[in-house]
């Protein structure tokens, strides 16, 4: 291995460490606790080293969002692959989405609540975000109904899931009724 290859590998490892540490800190104490100074202390590198990877917290939030999008896409596909029939797939998709958000609140916030400098629904949308939407579309497109654009239906269903996440986390909806809400969502929106 050349010196250049070793340095590149070390750079990638440092970047992973920064992102993992930011995620951990955000999940434990919230995003307000994630500062470049605190990250530098935790990873035991100077702030200039951290800034050589990310220009600031916004880019770190974006990196966490991209990582989270890839993880969410994988979780959705895993959940739907075991389901039989469109109704079960959509139900599994909704549950997996809500479970992902509940297990990873800081990551979910990085993906959908915070400014990570990422473009959504645009030519410049990063591939992990496109893939997360594709993971939704794969199951939802088949239940959009006649004459309904599958992408538009997926956006509406996704918005409903996001609303459930947001309102439940804020204590506006009781968590114990989540299964009933999922069933209602599938029954009323999806043509199965």
């Amino acid at each position: 291995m050349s010196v250049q290859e070793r340095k590149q590998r070390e750079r990638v490892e440092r970047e992973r460490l920064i992102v993992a540490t930011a995620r951990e800190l955000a999940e434990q104490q919230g995003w307000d606790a994630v500062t470049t100074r605190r990250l530098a202390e935790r990873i035991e590198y100077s702030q200039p080293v951290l800034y050589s990877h990310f220009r600031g917290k916004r880019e770190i939030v974006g990196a966490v969002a991209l990582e989270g999008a890839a993880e969410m896409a994988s979780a959705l596909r895993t959940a739907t692959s075991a389901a039989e029939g469109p109704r079960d797939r959509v139900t599994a998709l909704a549950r997996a989405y809500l479970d992902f958000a509940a297990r990873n609140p800081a990551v979910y916030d990085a993906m959908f609540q915070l400014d990570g400098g990422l473009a959504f629904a645009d030519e410049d949308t990063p591939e992990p975000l496109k893939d997360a939407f594709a993971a939704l579309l794969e199951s939802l497109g088949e239940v959009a109904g006649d004459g309904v654009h599958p992408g538009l239906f997926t956006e509406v269903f996704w918005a409903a899931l996001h609303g459930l996440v947001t309102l439940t986390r804020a204590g506006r909806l009781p968590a114990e009724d989540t299964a009933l809400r999922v069933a209602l969502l599938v029954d009323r929106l999806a043509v199965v």
Side-chain angles (χ1 to χ4, degrees), residues 101-162:
R103 283 191 324 274
N104 305 284
V107 172
Y108 190 85
D109 286 347
M111 292 167 64
F112 301 119
Q113 304 285 39
L114 302 174
D115 179 9
L118 304 173
F120 283 81
D122 190 285
E123 285 181 20
D124 296 334
T125 300
E127 202 53 45
L129 297 177
K130 289 179 182 178
D131 189 49
F133 186 78
L136 292 164
L137 181 62
E138 289 162 10
S139 292
L140 295 170
E142 69 180 322
V143 297
D146 293 338
V148 178
H149 188 278
L152 184 62
F153 177 77
T154 299
E155 290 171 353
V156 170
F157 200 94
W158 171 31
L161 291 174
H162 178 69

CSV table of all heavy atoms in Angstrom, one decimal, residues 101-162:
chain,number,residue,atom,x,y,z
A,101,ALA,N,-37.7,5.8,12.5
A,101,ALA,CA,-37.8,7.2,13.1
A,101,ALA,C,-37.7,7.1,14.6
A,101,ALA,O,-37.1,7.9,15.2
A,101,ALA,CB,-39.0,7.9,12.6
A,102,ALA,N,-38.4,6.2,15.2
A,102,ALA,CA,-38.5,6.0,16.7
A,102,ALA,C,-37.1,5.6,17.2
A,102,ALA,O,-36.7,6.1,18.3
A,102,ALA,CB,-39.5,5.1,17.1
A,103,ARG,N,-36.4,4.7,16.5
A,103,ARG,CA,-35.1,4.2,17.0
A,103,ARG,C,-34.0,5.2,16.7
A,103,ARG,O,-33.0,5.1,17.4
A,103,ARG,CB,-34.8,2.9,16.3
A,103,ARG,CG,-35.5,1.7,16.8
A,103,ARG,CD,-34.9,0.4,16.2
A,103,ARG,NE,-34.4,0.5,14.9
A,103,ARG,CZ,-35.2,0.3,13.8
A,103,ARG,NH1,-36.4,0.0,13.9
A,103,ARG,NH2,-34.7,0.4,12.6
A,104,ASN,N,-34.2,6.1,15.8
A,104,ASN,CA,-33.1,7.0,15.4
A,104,ASN,C,-33.6,8.5,15.3
A,104,ASN,O,-33.5,9.1,14.2
A,104,ASN,CB,-32.6,6.6,14.0
A,104,ASN,CG,-32.1,5.2,13.9
A,104,ASN,OD1,-31.1,4.8,14.4
A,104,ASN,ND2,-32.9,4.3,13.3
A,105,PRO,N,-34.1,9.0,16.4
A,105,PRO,CA,-34.7,10.3,16.3
A,105,PRO,C,-33.7,11.4,15.8
A,105,PRO,O,-34.1,12.3,15.0
A,105,PRO,CB,-35.2,10.6,17.7
A,105,PRO,CG,-34.4,9.7,18.6
A,105,PRO,CD,-34.1,8.5,17.8
A,106,ALA,N,-32.5,11.4,16.3
A,106,ALA,CA,-31.5,12.5,15.8
A,106,ALA,C,-31.2,12.3,14.3
A,106,ALA,O,-31.1,13.3,13.6
A,106,ALA,CB,-30.3,12.4,16.7
A,107,VAL,N,-31.1,11.1,13.9
A,107,VAL,CA,-30.8,10.8,12.5
A,107,VAL,C,-32.0,11.2,11.6
A,107,VAL,O,-31.9,11.9,10.6
A,107,VAL,CB,-30.5,9.3,12.2
A,107,VAL,CG1,-30.4,9.0,10.7
A,107,VAL,CG2,-29.2,9.0,12.9
A,108,TYR,N,-33.2,10.9,12.1
A,108,TYR,CA,-34.4,11.3,11.4
A,108,TYR,C,-34.5,12.9,11.3
A,108,TYR,O,-34.8,13.4,10.3
A,108,TYR,CB,-35.6,10.8,12.1
A,108,TYR,CG,-36.9,10.9,11.4
A,108,TYR,CD1,-37.3,10.0,10.4
A,108,TYR,CD2,-37.7,12.0,11.5
A,108,TYR,CE1,-38.4,10.2,9.6
A,108,TYR,CE2,-38.9,12.2,10.8
A,108,TYR,CZ,-39.2,11.3,9.9
A,108,TYR,OH,-40.4,11.4,9.1
A,109,ASP,N,-34.1,13.5,12.4
A,109,ASP,CA,-34.1,15.0,12.4
A,109,ASP,C,-33.1,15.5,11.4
A,109,ASP,O,-33.4,16.5,10.6
A,109,ASP,CB,-33.8,15.6,13.8
A,109,ASP,CG,-34.9,15.5,14.7
A,109,ASP,OD1,-36.1,15.2,14.3
A,109,ASP,OD2,-34.7,15.7,15.9
A,110,ALA,N,-31.9,14.9,11.3
A,110,ALA,CA,-30.9,15.3,10.3
A,110,ALA,C,-31.5,15.1,8.9
A,110,ALA,O,-31.2,15.9,8.0
A,110,ALA,CB,-29.6,14.5,10.5
A,111,MET,N,-32.2,14.0,8.7
A,111,MET,CA,-32.8,13.8,7.4
A,111,MET,C,-33.9,14.7,7.0
A,111,MET,O,-33.9,15.1,5.8
A,111,MET,CB,-33.3,12.3,7.3
A,111,MET,CG,-32.2,11.3,7.4
A,111,MET,SD,-32.9,9.6,7.8
A,111,MET,CE,-33.9,9.3,6.3
A,112,PHE,N,-34.8,15.1,7.9
A,112,PHE,CA,-36.0,15.7,7.5
A,112,PHE,C,-36.3,17.0,8.3
A,112,PHE,O,-37.3,17.7,7.9
A,112,PHE,CB,-37.2,14.8,7.6
A,112,PHE,CG,-37.0,13.6,6.8
A,112,PHE,CD1,-37.0,12.3,7.4
A,112,PHE,CD2,-36.9,13.6,5.4
A,112,PHE,CE1,-36.9,11.2,6.6
A,112,PHE,CE2,-36.8,12.5,4.6
A,112,PHE,CZ,-36.7,11.3,5.2
A,113,GLN,N,-35.6,17.4,9.3
A,113,GLN,CA,-35.9,18.6,10.1
A,113,GLN,C,-34.8,19.6,10.0
A,113,GLN,O,-35.1,20.8,10.1
A,113,GLN,CB,-36.2,18.2,11.5
A,113,GLN,CG,-37.3,17.2,11.8
A,113,GLN,CD,-38.7,17.7,11.5
A,113,GLN,OE1,-38.9,18.5,10.7
A,113,GLN,NE2,-39.6,17.2,12.4
A,114,LEU,N,-33.6,19.2,10.0
A,114,LEU,CA,-32.5,20.1,10.0
A,114,LEU,C,-31.9,20.5,8.6
A,114,LEU,O,-32.1,19.7,7.7
A,114,LEU,CB,-31.3,19.6,10.9
A,114,LEU,CG,-31.7,19.2,12.3
A,114,LEU,CD1,-30.6,18.5,13.0
A,114,LEU,CD2,-32.2,20.4,13.1
A,115,ASP,N,-31.2,21.6,8.6
A,115,ASP,CA,-30.6,22.0,7.3
A,115,ASP,C,-29.2,21.3,7.2
A,115,ASP,O,-28.3,21.7,7.9
A,115,ASP,CB,-30.5,23.5,7.3
A,115,ASP,CG,-29.8,24.0,6.0
A,115,ASP,OD1,-29.6,23.2,5.1
A,115,ASP,OD2,-29.5,25.2,5.9
A,116,GLY,N,-29.2,20.3,6.4
A,116,GLY,CA,-27.9,19.7,6.1
A,116,GLY,C,-27.3,20.1,4.8
A,116,GLY,O,-26.3,19.5,4.3
A,117,GLY,N,-27.9,21.1,4.1
A,117,GLY,CA,-27.4,21.6,2.9
A,117,GLY,C,-27.7,20.6,1.7
A,117,GLY,O,-27.0,20.7,0.7
A,118,LEU,N,-28.6,19.7,1.9
A,118,LEU,CA,-28.9,18.8,0.8
A,118,LEU,C,-30.1,19.2,0.0
A,118,LEU,O,-31.1,19.7,0.5
A,118,LEU,CB,-29.2,17.4,1.5
A,118,LEU,CG,-28.1,16.8,2.4
A,118,LEU,CD1,-28.5,15.6,3.1
A,118,LEU,CD2,-26.8,16.6,1.6
A,119,ALA,N,-30.0,18.9,-1.3
A,119,ALA,CA,-31.2,19.2,-2.2
A,119,ALA,C,-32.1,18.0,-2.2
A,119,ALA,O,-31.7,16.8,-2.2
A,119,ALA,CB,-30.6,19.4,-3.6
A,120,PHE,N,-33.4,18.3,-2.1
A,120,PHE,CA,-34.5,17.3,-2.2
A,120,PHE,C,-35.3,17.5,-3.4
A,120,PHE,O,-35.5,18.7,-3.8
A,120,PHE,CB,-35.4,17.3,-0.9
A,120,PHE,CG,-34.8,16.7,0.3
A,120,PHE,CD1,-33.9,17.4,1.1
A,120,PHE,CD2,-35.1,15.4,0.7
A,120,PHE,CE1,-33.4,16.9,2.3
A,120,PHE,CE2,-34.6,14.9,1.8
A,120,PHE,CZ,-33.7,15.6,2.6
A,121,ALA,N,-35.8,16.4,-4.0
A,121,ALA,CA,-36.6,16.5,-5.2
A,121,ALA,C,-36.1,17.4,-6.3
A,121,ALA,O,-36.7,18.3,-6.8
A,121,ALA,CB,-38.0,17.0,-4.8
A,122,ASP,N,-34.8,17.2,-6.6
A,122,ASP,CA,-34.1,18.0,-7.5
A,122,ASP,C,-33.0,17.2,-8.3
A,122,ASP,O,-32.7,16.1,-7.8
A,122,ASP,CB,-33.3,19.1,-6.6
A,122,ASP,CG,-32.7,20.2,-7.4
A,122,ASP,OD1,-31.7,20.0,-8.0
A,122,ASP,OD2,-33.3,21.3,-7.4
A,123,GLU,N,-32.6,17.7,-9.3
A,123,GLU,CA,-31.5,17.0,-10.1
A,123,GLU,C,-30.3,16.7,-9.2
A,123,GLU,O,-29.6,15.7,-9.4
A,123,GLU,CB,-31.1,17.8,-11.3
A,123,GLU,CG,-32.0,17.8,-12.5
A,123,GLU,CD,-31.5,18.6,-13.6
A,123,GLU,OE1,-30.3,18.8,-13.7
A,123,GLU,OE2,-32.3,18.9,-14.5
A,124,ASP,N,-30.0,17.7,-8.3
A,124,ASP,CA,-28.8,17.6,-7.5
A,124,ASP,C,-29.1,16.7,-6.2
A,124,ASP,O,-28.2,16.7,-5.3
A,124,ASP,CB,-28.4,19.0,-7.1
A,124,ASP,CG,-27.9,19.8,-8.3
A,124,ASP,OD1,-27.5,19.2,-9.3
A,124,ASP,OD2,-28.0,21.0,-8.2
A,125,THR,N,-30.2,16.1,-6.1
A,125,THR,CA,-30.5,15.3,-4.9
A,125,THR,C,-29.4,14.2,-4.8
A,125,THR,O,-29.2,13.4,-5.8
A,125,THR,CB,-31.9,14.7,-4.9
A,125,THR,OG1,-32.8,15.8,-5.0
A,125,THR,CG2,-32.2,13.9,-3.7
A,126,PRO,N,-28.8,14.0,-3.7
A,126,PRO,CA,-27.8,13.0,-3.5
A,126,PRO,C,-28.4,11.6,-3.6
A,126,PRO,O,-29.6,11.4,-3.3
A,126,PRO,CB,-27.2,13.2,-2.1
A,126,PRO,CG,-27.5,14.6,-1.8
A,126,PRO,CD,-28.8,14.9,-2.5
A,127,GLU,N,-27.7,10.7,-4.2
A,127,GLU,CA,-28.1,9.3,-4.4
A,127,GLU,C,-28.8,8.6,-3.2
A,127,GLU,O,-29.8,8.0,-3.4
A,127,GLU,CB,-27.0,8.5,-5.0
A,127,GLU,CG,-27.5,7.3,-5.8
A,127,GLU,CD,-28.5,7.6,-6.9
A,127,GLU,OE1,-28.3,8.6,-7.6
A,127,GLU,OE2,-29.5,6.9,-7.0
A,128,PRO,N,-28.2,8.7,-2.0
A,128,PRO,CA,-28.9,8.0,-0.9
A,128,PRO,C,-30.3,8.6,-0.6
A,128,PRO,O,-31.2,7.8,-0.3
A,128,PRO,CB,-28.0,8.3,0.3
A,128,PRO,CG,-26.6,8.6,-0.3
A,128,PRO,CD,-26.9,9.2,-1.6
A,129,LEU,N,-30.5,9.8,-0.8
A,129,LEU,CA,-31.9,10.4,-0.7
A,129,LEU,C,-32.8,9.9,-1.8
A,129,LEU,O,-34.0,9.5,-1.5
A,129,LEU,CB,-31.9,11.9,-0.7
A,129,LEU,CG,-31.1,12.6,0.5
A,129,LEU,CD1,-31.1,14.1,0.3
A,129,LEU,CD2,-31.6,12.1,1.8
A,130,LYS,N,-32.3,9.8,-3.0
A,130,LYS,CA,-33.1,9.3,-4.1
A,130,LYS,C,-33.4,7.8,-3.8
A,130,LYS,O,-34.6,7.4,-4.1
A,130,LYS,CB,-32.4,9.4,-5.4
A,130,LYS,CG,-32.2,10.8,-5.9
A,130,LYS,CD,-31.4,10.8,-7.2
A,130,LYS,CE,-31.3,12.2,-7.8
A,130,LYS,NZ,-30.4,12.2,-9.0
A,131,ASP,N,-32.5,7.1,-3.3
A,131,ASP,CA,-32.7,5.7,-3.1
A,131,ASP,C,-33.7,5.4,-1.9
A,131,ASP,O,-34.5,4.5,-2.0
A,131,ASP,CB,-31.4,5.0,-2.7
A,131,ASP,CG,-31.5,3.5,-2.7
A,131,ASP,OD1,-32.1,2.9,-3.6
A,131,ASP,OD2,-31.1,2.8,-1.7
A,132,ALA,N,-33.7,6.3,-0.9
A,132,ALA,CA,-34.7,6.2,0.2
A,132,ALA,C,-36.1,6.4,-0.4
A,132,ALA,O,-37.0,5.7,0.0
A,132,ALA,CB,-34.4,7.2,1.3
A,133,PHE,N,-36.2,7.4,-1.3
A,133,PHE,CA,-37.5,7.6,-1.9
A,133,PHE,C,-37.9,6.4,-2.8
A,133,PHE,O,-39.1,6.0,-2.8
A,133,PHE,CB,-37.5,8.9,-2.7
A,133,PHE,CG,-38.9,9.2,-3.2
A,133,PHE,CD1,-39.9,9.8,-2.4
A,133,PHE,CD2,-39.2,9.0,-4.6
A,133,PHE,CE1,-41.1,10.1,-2.9
A,133,PHE,CE2,-40.5,9.3,-5.1
A,133,PHE,CZ,-41.4,9.8,-4.2
A,134,ALA,N,-36.9,5.9,-3.5
A,134,ALA,CA,-37.2,4.7,-4.3
A,134,ALA,C,-37.6,3.5,-3.5
A,134,ALA,O,-38.5,2.8,-3.9
A,134,ALA,CB,-35.9,4.3,-5.1
A,135,ALA,N,-37.1,3.4,-2.3
A,135,ALA,CA,-37.5,2.3,-1.4
A,135,ALA,C,-39.0,2.4,-1.0
A,135,ALA,O,-39.7,1.4,-0.9
A,135,ALA,CB,-36.6,2.2,-0.2
A,136,LEU,N,-39.4,3.7,-0.9
A,136,LEU,CA,-40.9,3.9,-0.6
A,136,LEU,C,-41.7,3.6,-1.9
A,136,LEU,O,-42.7,2.9,-1.8
A,136,LEU,CB,-41.1,5.4,-0.2
A,136,LEU,CG,-40.5,5.8,1.2
A,136,LEU,CD1,-40.5,7.3,1.3
A,136,LEU,CD2,-41.4,5.2,2.3
A,137,LEU,N,-41.2,4.1,-3.0
A,137,LEU,CA,-42.0,4.0,-4.3
A,137,LEU,C,-42.1,2.5,-4.7
A,137,LEU,O,-43.2,2.2,-5.2
A,137,LEU,CB,-41.2,4.8,-5.3
A,137,LEU,CG,-41.8,4.8,-6.7
A,137,LEU,CD1,-43.2,5.5,-6.7
A,137,LEU,CD2,-40.9,5.6,-7.7
A,138,GLU,N,-41.1,1.7,-4.4
A,138,GLU,CA,-41.2,0.3,-4.8
A,138,GLU,C,-42.4,-0.4,-4.3
A,138,GLU,O,-43.0,-1.2,-5.0
A,138,GLU,CB,-39.9,-0.4,-4.3
A,138,GLU,CG,-38.7,0.0,-5.1
A,138,GLU,CD,-37.4,-0.4,-4.4
A,138,GLU,OE1,-37.4,-1.2,-3.4
A,138,GLU,OE2,-36.3,0.1,-4.8
A,139,SER,N,-42.8,-0.1,-3.1
A,139,SER,CA,-44.0,-0.7,-2.5
A,139,SER,C,-45.3,0.1,-2.7
A,139,SER,O,-46.4,-0.5,-2.9
A,139,SER,CB,-43.8,-1.0,-1.0
A,139,SER,OG,-42.9,-1.9,-0.8
A,140,LEU,N,-45.1,1.4,-2.7
A,140,LEU,CA,-46.3,2.3,-2.8
A,140,LEU,C,-46.8,2.5,-4.2
A,140,LEU,O,-48.0,2.7,-4.4
A,140,LEU,CB,-46.0,3.6,-2.1
A,140,LEU,CG,-45.8,3.5,-0.6
A,140,LEU,CD1,-45.3,4.8,-0.1
A,140,LEU,CD2,-47.1,3.1,0.1
A,141,GLY,N,-45.9,2.4,-5.2
A,141,GLY,CA,-46.3,2.6,-6.6
A,141,GLY,C,-47.3,1.6,-7.0
A,141,GLY,O,-48.2,2.0,-7.8
A,142,GLU,N,-47.3,0.4,-6.5
A,142,GLU,CA,-48.3,-0.6,-7.0
A,142,GLU,C,-49.6,-0.4,-6.3
A,142,GLU,O,-50.6,-1.1,-6.8
A,142,GLU,CB,-47.7,-2.0,-6.7
A,142,GLU,CG,-47.6,-2.4,-5.2
A,142,GLU,CD,-47.0,-3.8,-5.0
A,142,GLU,OE1,-47.4,-4.7,-5.7
A,142,GLU,OE2,-46.3,-3.9,-4.0
A,143,VAL,N,-49.8,0.4,-5.4
A,143,VAL,CA,-51.1,0.6,-4.7
A,143,VAL,C,-51.6,2.1,-4.9
A,143,VAL,O,-52.5,2.5,-4.2
A,143,VAL,CB,-51.0,0.2,-3.2
A,143,VAL,CG1,-50.7,-1.2,-3.0
A,143,VAL,CG2,-50.1,1.1,-2.5
A,144,ALA,N,-51.0,2.8,-5.8
A,144,ALA,CA,-51.4,4.2,-6.0
A,144,ALA,C,-52.8,4.3,-6.5
A,144,ALA,O,-53.5,5.3,-6.2
A,144,ALA,CB,-50.5,4.9,-7.0
A,145,GLY,N,-53.3,3.3,-7.3
A,145,GLY,CA,-54.6,3.4,-7.9
A,145,GLY,C,-54.6,3.9,-9.3
A,145,GLY,O,-53.6,4.5,-9.8
A,146,ASP,N,-55.7,3.6,-10.0
A,146,ASP,CA,-55.8,3.9,-11.4
A,146,ASP,C,-55.7,5.4,-11.6
A,146,ASP,O,-56.4,6.2,-10.9
A,146,ASP,CB,-57.0,3.3,-12.0
A,146,ASP,CG,-57.0,1.8,-12.1
A,146,ASP,OD1,-55.9,1.3,-12.1
A,146,ASP,OD2,-58.1,1.2,-12.1
A,147,GLY,N,-55.0,5.9,-12.5
A,147,GLY,CA,-54.9,7.3,-12.9
A,147,GLY,C,-54.1,8.1,-11.9
A,147,GLY,O,-54.1,9.4,-12.0
A,148,VAL,N,-53.5,7.5,-10.9
A,148,VAL,CA,-52.8,8.3,-9.9
A,148,VAL,C,-51.3,8.1,-10.2
A,148,VAL,O,-50.8,6.9,-10.3
A,148,VAL,CB,-53.1,7.8,-8.4
A,148,VAL,CG1,-52.3,8.6,-7.4
A,148,VAL,CG2,-54.6,8.0,-8.2
A,149,HIS,N,-50.5,9.2,-10.3
A,149,HIS,CA,-49.1,9.1,-10.5
A,149,HIS,C,-48.4,8.4,-9.3
A,149,HIS,O,-48.6,8.9,-8.2
A,149,HIS,CB,-48.5,10.4,-10.8
A,149,HIS,CG,-47.1,10.4,-11.2
A,149,HIS,ND1,-46.1,10.3,-10.3
A,149,HIS,CD2,-46.5,10.4,-12.5
A,149,HIS,CE1,-44.9,10.2,-11.0
A,149,HIS,NE2,-45.2,10.3,-12.3
A,150,PRO,N,-47.7,7.3,-9.5
A,150,PRO,CA,-47.1,6.6,-8.4
A,150,PRO,C,-46.2,7.5,-7.5
A,150,PRO,O,-46.2,7.4,-6.3
A,150,PRO,CB,-46.3,5.5,-9.0
A,150,PRO,CG,-47.0,5.3,-10.4
A,150,PRO,CD,-47.5,6.6,-10.8
A,151,GLY,N,-45.4,8.4,-8.2
A,151,GLY,CA,-44.5,9.2,-7.4
A,151,GLY,C,-45.3,10.2,-6.5
A,151,GLY,O,-44.9,10.5,-5.4
A,152,LEU,N,-46.4,10.8,-7.1
A,152,LEU,CA,-47.2,11.7,-6.3
A,152,LEU,C,-47.9,11.0,-5.1
A,152,LEU,O,-47.9,11.5,-4.0
A,152,LEU,CB,-48.2,12.3,-7.2
A,152,LEU,CG,-49.1,13.4,-6.6
A,152,LEU,CD1,-48.3,14.6,-6.1
A,152,LEU,CD2,-50.2,13.9,-7.6
A,153,PHE,N,-48.4,9.8,-5.4
A,153,PHE,CA,-49.0,9.0,-4.3
A,153,PHE,C,-47.9,8.7,-3.2
A,153,PHE,O,-48.2,8.8,-2.0
A,153,PHE,CB,-49.6,7.7,-4.8
A,153,PHE,CG,-50.1,6.8,-3.7
A,153,PHE,CD1,-51.4,7.1,-3.2
A,153,PHE,CD2,-49.4,5.8,-3.2
A,153,PHE,CE1,-51.9,6.4,-2.1
A,153,PHE,CE2,-49.9,5.0,-2.2
A,153,PHE,CZ,-51.2,5.3,-1.7
A,154,THR,N,-46.7,8.4,-3.6
A,154,THR,CA,-45.7,8.1,-2.7
A,154,THR,C,-45.4,9.3,-1.8
A,154,THR,O,-45.2,9.2,-0.6
A,154,THR,CB,-44.4,7.6,-3.4
A,154,THR,OG1,-44.8,6.4,-4.1
A,154,THR,CG2,-43.3,7.3,-2.4
A,155,GLU,N,-45.3,10.5,-2.4
A,155,GLU,CA,-45.1,11.7,-1.7
A,155,GLU,C,-46.2,11.9,-0.6
A,155,GLU,O,-45.9,12.3,0.5
A,155,GLU,CB,-45.1,12.9,-2.6
A,155,GLU,CG,-43.8,12.9,-3.5
A,155,GLU,CD,-43.9,14.0,-4.6
A,155,GLU,OE1,-45.0,14.6,-4.8
A,155,GLU,OE2,-42.9,14.2,-5.3
A,156,VAL,N,-47.4,11.7,-1.0
A,156,VAL,CA,-48.6,11.9,-0.1
A,156,VAL,C,-48.5,10.9,1.1
A,156,VAL,O,-48.7,11.3,2.3
A,156,VAL,CB,-49.9,11.8,-0.8
A,156,VAL,CG1,-51.1,11.8,0.2
A,156,VAL,CG2,-50.0,13.0,-1.8
A,157,PHE,N,-48.2,9.6,0.8
A,157,PHE,CA,-48.1,8.6,1.8
A,157,PHE,C,-47.0,8.9,2.7
A,157,PHE,O,-47.1,8.8,4.0
A,157,PHE,CB,-48.0,7.2,1.1
A,157,PHE,CG,-48.4,6.1,2.0
A,157,PHE,CD1,-49.7,5.6,2.0
A,157,PHE,CD2,-47.5,5.5,2.9
A,157,PHE,CE1,-50.0,4.5,2.8
A,157,PHE,CE2,-47.8,4.5,3.7
A,157,PHE,CZ,-49.1,4.0,3.7
A,158,TRP,N,-45.8,9.3,2.1
A,158,TRP,CA,-44.6,9.6,2.9
A,158,TRP,C,-45.0,10.8,3.8
A,158,TRP,O,-44.6,10.8,5.0
A,158,TRP,CB,-43.5,9.9,2.0
A,158,TRP,CG,-42.3,10.5,2.6
A,158,TRP,CD1,-41.8,10.3,3.8
A,158,TRP,CD2,-41.3,11.4,1.9
A,158,TRP,NE1,-40.6,11.0,4.0
A,158,TRP,CE2,-40.3,11.7,2.9
A,158,TRP,CE3,-41.3,12.0,0.7
A,158,TRP,CZ2,-39.2,12.5,2.5
A,158,TRP,CZ3,-40.2,12.8,0.4
A,158,TRP,CH2,-39.2,13.0,1.3
A,159,ALA,N,-45.7,11.8,3.3
A,159,ALA,CA,-46.0,13.0,4.1
A,159,ALA,C,-46.9,12.6,5.3
A,159,ALA,O,-46.7,13.1,6.4
A,159,ALA,CB,-46.7,14.0,3.3
A,160,ALA,N,-47.8,11.6,5.1
A,160,ALA,CA,-48.6,11.1,6.2
A,160,ALA,C,-47.8,10.4,7.2
A,160,ALA,O,-48.0,10.6,8.4
A,160,ALA,CB,-49.7,10.2,5.6
A,161,LEU,N,-46.8,9.6,6.8
A,161,LEU,CA,-45.9,8.9,7.7
A,161,LEU,C,-45.1,9.9,8.5
A,161,LEU,O,-44.9,9.8,9.7
A,161,LEU,CB,-45.0,7.9,7.0
A,161,LEU,CG,-45.7,6.7,6.4
A,161,LEU,CD1,-44.7,5.9,5.6
A,161,LEU,CD2,-46.3,5.8,7.5
A,162,HIS,N,-44.6,10.9,7.8
A,162,HIS,CA,-43.8,11.9,8.5
A,162,HIS,C,-44.6,12.7,9.5
A,162,HIS,O,-44.2,13.0,10.6
A,162,HIS,CB,-43.2,12.9,7.4
A,162,HIS,CG,-42.4,14.0,8.0
A,162,HIS,ND1,-41.2,13.8,8.7
A,162,HIS,CD2,-42.7,15.3,8.2
A,162,HIS,CE1,-40.7,15.0,9.1
A,162,HIS,NE2,-41.6,15.9,8.8
